[in-house]
Amino acid sequence: MLDTSISSGNFDIPVLIIGGGPVGLAMAVELGWRGIDCMLVEQGDGVVGHPKTNGVNMRTMEYCRRWGIAEAVREQGYPLGRSRDHIYFTTLTGWEIARQVNPAYDEIQLPRGAVEPFQRCPQTAFDPLLQERARSFEPVTLRYHVRCEGVEQDPSGVTARLRNLQDGEEENLRAAFVVACEGARSPIRDALGIKLDGTPVLGYSTNVLFRSEEFATMHDKGDGRSYLAMGPEGQWASVNSINGKDLWRFQVRGSLDPDSWGKVDVDADLKRFAGRDFDYQILSILEWIRRQLVADRYQDGRIALAGDCIHQLTPAGSFGMNTGVGDITNLSWKIEAALSGWAGDGLIATYTTERRPIGKRNVDFAAARYARGENVIPAPFILDETPDGERERKEVGERITDEALAAPTFGLQIGYRYDDSPIICHEPGPPPPIERETYTPTTRPGARAPDAWLGKNRAVTDLFGRGFVLLALGAAPPKAENLEQAAAARGVPLKTVFVTEPDIADLYQQALVLVRPDGHVAWRGEAPPADAGQVIDLIRGAA
Ligand SMILES: Cc1cc2nc3c(=O)[nH]c(=O)nc-3n(C[C@H](O)[C@H](O)[C@H](O)COP(=O)(O)OP(=O)(O)OC[C@H]3O[C@@H](n4cnc5c(N)ncnc54)[C@H](O)[C@@H]3O)c2cc1C
């Protein structure tokens, strides 16, 4: 159990965030939105040179909506009406093999229980939006060119050693909580003895960011978001549109051979991909390792970790940064509860219990999807201009279509539940099955509370976040003053919101649904609980 009483401590800052990648920045925004004083230190200058993350999934978009940046993400992202097709070929100017037709972002049919579609927004736009929003909150301080060189914790706080990389100055900073968002190479994780489980290398890959006006029009394949080249070795490279215009990301998938790393002949490979010469300007090159790793613990005392520190996965499905945003939105309200004095001793530790299974599931899903793509290995004569070559291209195309490598992942994005959590009021009977592609809304405790429009530009999830929300649904919901009283007696922020719309009452399945600050259901019932104090103690980690 963690002693979350901070009265004995003497702090420079309640929360210190280490690392200003997208996950650290999202934590700063979320804490700023909560009004919690925090400082983020980032060793770099905060400028994104090479965009890695691009796909902002439905759940992250819901949080972007909370933070007031969802519209900006859409505006600065991949154009809404543009084709998102995945087009497979031998070369861009050669034979087409398969085409996975995906609806444009403004045509995606969302499942019931969701209002925010997935959106692509390159990190070069996404991180600055987070930076700007973080800076707009008075309690947030962002410090660049500052490296954390170590942390030491004792029962009453954490001392971080910081170095200003511009003038070399050292300082010790005392915080109640440290959130390490340092990325894959995390000295804090290693110093805490937290181990990564899984497969350290799935492949050595190379990304090339390039600008080209000609790329979009020099072929007969039409508009698409992803262009993928198949050779005798299988799918060996792809080009993704970054901005729907002239910015592209070429990816050479690479192999398991570490000696192949860093040896890509970019010009030769771009020519092989296109099947001809074309004009381009290389902007940056990123060599990176695909991994399938998840940490055995997400937190140690007053130090919590989030993002790539604790899970590293192949980008298939866009779950890296998005899983990190899920982490910090789970952690932030628990830290707020501890700082405000209403957390039970067991609350912070539920961060690992709730988030690790989700991290592992996403890491394993991404690896499995990547492997399915790797499994499609053509016969050597796929490039031949012969009847055998033609037959092979057709068969490979059918296998690609069967593998459905870009199938929707609604269930993974918004259907995740904290089924084994000790801070939700469990119901008897087996939980609904875990869904990956589809999403079936449920308010079973542990699930994300489903979303729906309440009016123009106002959704149910907009009600959540500041504290617990007791939704009282339908024309005549039962009174649940005992829950409000039990919460008030323990200092737990809880307000009742009446929602009369019949379709939302139907979506929410029961008359009373208690939703946590992270938008997950803590308890539900047709009538107030007999022992409201017991419910409130359980959901604040004090049972
Ligand atoms: C090719 C590619 C495509 C991807 N596409 C997607 C996608 O579409 N969707 C998605 O969700 N994910 C995607 N990802 C994954 C995503 O990029 C990562 O999950 C995400 O960047 C992790 O964010 P982070 O903040 O945890 O770590 P990082 O982005 O690695 O940031 C960590 C930061 O911490 C700083 N830092 C480290 N140590 C210290 C220290 N001691 N003191 C101060 N600062 C420190 C670093 O300088 C860095 O800025 C992709 C990844 C790759 C490689």
Side-chain angles (χ1 to χ4, degrees):
M1 292 289 172
L2 170 67
D3 169 17
T4 51
S5 156
I6 62 162
S7 53
S8 55
N10 184 12
F11 303 108
D12 299 309
I13 192 85
V15 186
L16 174 67
I17 303 163
I18 299 169
V23 176
L25 285 168
M27 185 64 176
V29 173
E30 170 75 5
L31 291 179
W33 185 81
R34 294 187 171 283
I36 296 173
D37 286 316
C38 63
M39 180 188 292
L40 179 151
V41 293
E42 162 59 47
Q43 62 190 1
D45 60 6
V47 176
V48 179
H50 187 106
K52 292 187 292 179
T53 180
N54 198 329
V56 183
N57 81 13
M58 297 160 77
R59 189 64 169 137
T60 303
M61 283 301 286
E62 289 175 359
Y63 287 116
C64 288
R65 198 182 161 76
R66 166 185 289 185
W67 302 328
I69 60 170
E71 275 318 308
V73 170
R74 258 189 288 278
E75 276 163 20
Q76 300 196 24
Y78 189 80
L80 293 185
R82 284 287 300 278
S83 160
R84 291 194 309 122
D85 290 358
H86 288 216
I87 307 165
Y88 295 79
F89 42 67
T90 52
T91 69
L92 185 62
T93 50
W95 288 294
E96 181 168 325
I97 294 177
R99 179 176 294 250
Q100 187 156 355
V101 178
N102 297 316
Y105 284 125
D106 57 0
E107 287 172 2
I108 292 176
Q109 295 292 315
L110 291 178
R112 183 170 181 247
V115 306
E116 280 292 346
F118 185 106
Q119 175 65 46
R120 286 203 167 266
C121 179
Q123 197 176 357
T124 37
F126 191 65
D127 281 19
L129 283 173
L130 291 173
Q131 282 164 4
E132 191 187 335
R133 190 65 180 120
R135 283 199 182 96
S136 74
F137 293 112
E138 210 258 343
V140 178
T141 306
L142 302 185
R143 290 175 66 191
Y144 288 92
H145 305 288
V146 176
R147 177 187 293 146
C148 175
E149 298 195 328
V151 288
E152 272 165 39
Q153 64 174 323
D154 53 65
S156 61
V158 190
T159 303
R161 273 180 292 115
L162 305 182
R163 182 181 298 279
N164 183 322
L165 298 178
Q166 288 178 312
D167 60 17
E169 284 278 305
E170 273 186 64
E171 75 185 280
N172 281 347
L173 196 103
R174 186 96 173 134
F177 288 97
V178 162
V179 184
C181 305
E182 304 167 296
R185 271 188 290 261
S186 169
I188 292 179
R189 177 194 64 221
D190 297 343
L192 291 171
I194 295 175
K195 299 272 177 293
L196 293 170
D197 301 328
T199 309
V201 180
L202 296 174
Y204 293 91
S205 299
T206 304
N207 279 9
V208 180
L209 185 72
F210 68 94
R211 193 182 296 284
S212 173
E213 303 267 341
E214 204 184 347
F215 186 88
T217 53
M218 67 184 187
H219 54 85
D220 60 356
K221 304 295 177 293
D223 207 8
R225 192 191 68 77
S226 291
Y227 298 93
L228 306 104
M230 300 291 293
E233 71 271 56
Q235 186 199 310
W236 68 276
S238 59
V239 167
N240 280 345
S241 169
I242 294 293
N243 62 355
K245 290 179 270 208
D246 59 346
L247 262 190
W248 309 90
R249 186 173 68 202
F250 179 49
Q251 183 178 112
V252 180
R253 278 167 92 98
S255 70
L256 278 164
D257 174 9
D259 290 338
S260 67
W261 211 31
K263 297 202 180 122
V264 168
D265 183 337
V266 175
D267 293 318
D269 280 348
L270 272 171
K271 183 172 181 181
R272 179 186 171 199
F273 186 90
R276 54 166 272 192
D277 287 314
F278 67 102
D279 282 336
Y280 53 82
Q281 177 198 2
I282 292 176
L283 302 178
S284 67
I285 296 180
L286 175 77
E287 283 147 7
W288 57 285
I289 303 177
R290 281 175 208 278
R291 304 184 191 274
Q292 182 185 3
L293 294 173
V294 62
D296 58 6
R297 281 179 297 137
Y298 280 19
Q299 166 259 345
D300 187 304
R302 291 171 176 275
I303 303 171
L305 299 90
D308 277 17
C309 295
I310 44 172
H311 37 71
Q312 293 154 38
L313 44 81
T314 167
S318 297
F319 283 106
M321 180 272 295
N322 289 302
T323 307
V325 170
D327 297 336
I328 61 95
T329 46
N330 181 286
L331 179 63
S332 60
W333 70 271
K334 295 174 181 173
I335 288 183
E336 180 178 7
L339 293 171
S340 308
W342 56 266
D345 284 348
L347 188 66
I348 294 284
T350 64
Y351 174 51
T352 295
T353 328
E354 294 191 337
R355 288 303 301 170
R356 188 179 185 279
I358 309 304
K360 175 144 179 55
R361 194 192 61 183
N362 291 352
V363 163
D364 291 347
F365 170 84
R369 179 170 270 197
Y370 175 70
R372 271 161 52 202
E374 292 289 276
N375 286 342
V376 183
I377 302 293
F381 45 84
I382 185 163
L383 303 180
D384 290 359
E385 203 165 352
T386 61
D388 279 350
E390 196 176 330
R391 201 165 40 249
E392 181 61 11
R393 289 188 286 279
K394 188 165 173 291
E395 277 175 16
V396 166
E398 285 165 1
R399 278 164 55 203
I400 288 171
T401 307
D402 289 348
E403 290 288 357
L405 298 173
T409 53
F410 294 135
L412 289 168
Q413 294 180 57
I414 55 170
Y416 60 87
R417 301 189 305 261
Y418 301 139
D419 283 338
D420 298 324
S421 171
I423 55 163
I424 58 162
C425 299
H426 292 276
E427 293 181 354
I434 300 279
E435 293 174 290
R436 289 180 168 73
E437 296 184 0
T438 54
Y439 165 69
T440 309
T442 174
T443 52
R444 189 177 167 106
R448 156 193 165 276
D451 210 357
W453 292 116
L454 276 170
K456 194 170 183 297
N457 238 346
R458 191 168 146 73
V460 178
T461 47
D462 298 344
L463 301 170
F464 308 144
R466 298 284 182 199
F468 284 83
V469 170
L470 178 65
L471 290 179
L473 297 128
K479 289 199 169 27
E481 282 147 358
N482 64 343
L483 270 173
E484 288 180 1
Q485 286 157 2
R490 291 156 178 82
V492 175
L494 184 153
K495 69 172 180 184
T496 302
V497 176
F498 293 88
V499 176
T500 50
E501 285 85 345
D503 50 338
I504 298 177
D506 182 54
L507 179 70
Y508 268 72
Q509 299 166 334
Q510 299 210 11
L512 297 170
V513 178
L514 182 58
V515 182
R516 312 189 321 186
D518 59 359
H520 283 252
V521 176
W523 170 89
R524 67 176 176 174
E526 292 295 356
D531 189 340
Q534 202 176 39
V535 168
I536 298 294
D537 280 341
L538 183 100
I539 65 179
R540 69 186 183 96

